[in-house]
């Protein structure tokens, strides 16, 4: 299956109502919780993305974004916890019919 993700970041830009950070459990480790179900999970910032995660200016531009969404120098979206991302994110399928996807 061809990966058609254009890394626009739209799918991750409205996730603040889905899960949130409950507490920091390590230098770059966080306990998150799904706000509806209460299910919790530990996620860790990918080692090569800690510098990007430390830049939180995205919260001004996209206040409803997932707390782990960032954009690189080319303006392309990336998940800073990709290696340990929430189960929900594993299941997401972008709809190629939509303009953003
Ligand atoms: S909305 Fe689709 S194209 Fe954009 S980042 Fe998400 S998966 Fe990729
Ligand atoms: S954890 Fe990663 S993939 Fe999931 S919503 Fe946040 S930035 Fe997107």
């Amino acid at each position: 299956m061809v990966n058609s993700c254009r890394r626009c970041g739209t799918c991750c830009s409205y996730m603040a109502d889905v899960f949130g950070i409950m507490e920091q459990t390590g230098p770059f480790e966080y306990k998150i919780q799904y706000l509806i179900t209460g299910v919790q999970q530990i996620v860790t910032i990918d080692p090569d993305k800690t510098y990007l995660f430390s830049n939180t200016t995205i919260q001004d531009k996209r206040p409803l974004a997932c707390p782990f969404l960032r954009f690189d120098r080319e303006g392309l979206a990336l998940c800073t916890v990709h290696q340990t991302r929430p189960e929900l994110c594993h299941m997401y399928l972008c709809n190629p019919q939509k303009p953003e996807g």
Side-chain angles (χ1 to χ4, degrees), residues 17-54:
D17 289 338
V18 178
F19 55 75
I21 294 175
M22 304 311 290
E23 66 174 295
Q24 186 167 358
T25 52
F28 288 100
E29 183 183 272
Y30 297 87
K31 180 187 290 181
I32 66 162
Q33 179 171 308
Y34 289 89
L35 302 182
I36 293 178
T37 64
V39 171
Q40 297 184 338
Q41 180 180 340
I42 298 291
V43 298
T44 306
I45 306 300
D46 294 348
D48 62 338
K49 296 177 187 133
T50 54
Y51 71 102
L52 266 178
F53 179 72
S54 299

Side-chain angles (χ1 to χ4, degrees), residues 14-101:
Y14 302 94
M15 293 295 283
D17 289 338
V18 178
F19 55 75
I21 294 175
M22 304 311 290
E23 66 174 295
Q24 186 167 358
T25 52
F28 288 100
E29 183 183 272
Y30 297 87
K31 180 187 290 181
I32 66 162
Q33 179 171 308
Y34 289 89
L35 302 182
I36 293 178
T37 64
V39 171
Q40 297 184 338
Q41 180 180 340
I42 298 291
V43 298
T44 306
I45 306 300
D46 294 348
D48 62 338
K49 296 177 187 133
T50 54
Y51 71 102
L52 266 178
F53 179 72
S54 299
N55 183 342
T56 58
T57 55
I58 185 177
Q59 290 164 4
D60 297 328
K61 299 171 189 165
R62 301 187 187 218
L64 297 178
C66 170
F68 304 111
L69 174 65
R70 295 292 185 273
F71 288 84
D72 64 17
R73 286 185 194 168
E74 285 73 44
L76 298 174
L78 53 81
C79 170
T80 56
V81 293
H82 183 75
Q83 294 176 16
T84 56
R85 65 193 184 282
E87 291 300 321
L88 182 66
C89 306
H90 283 267
M91 294 187 283
Y92 179 77
L93 289 175
C94 186
N95 182 346
Q97 300 306 313
K98 290 182 179 177
E100 68 270 21

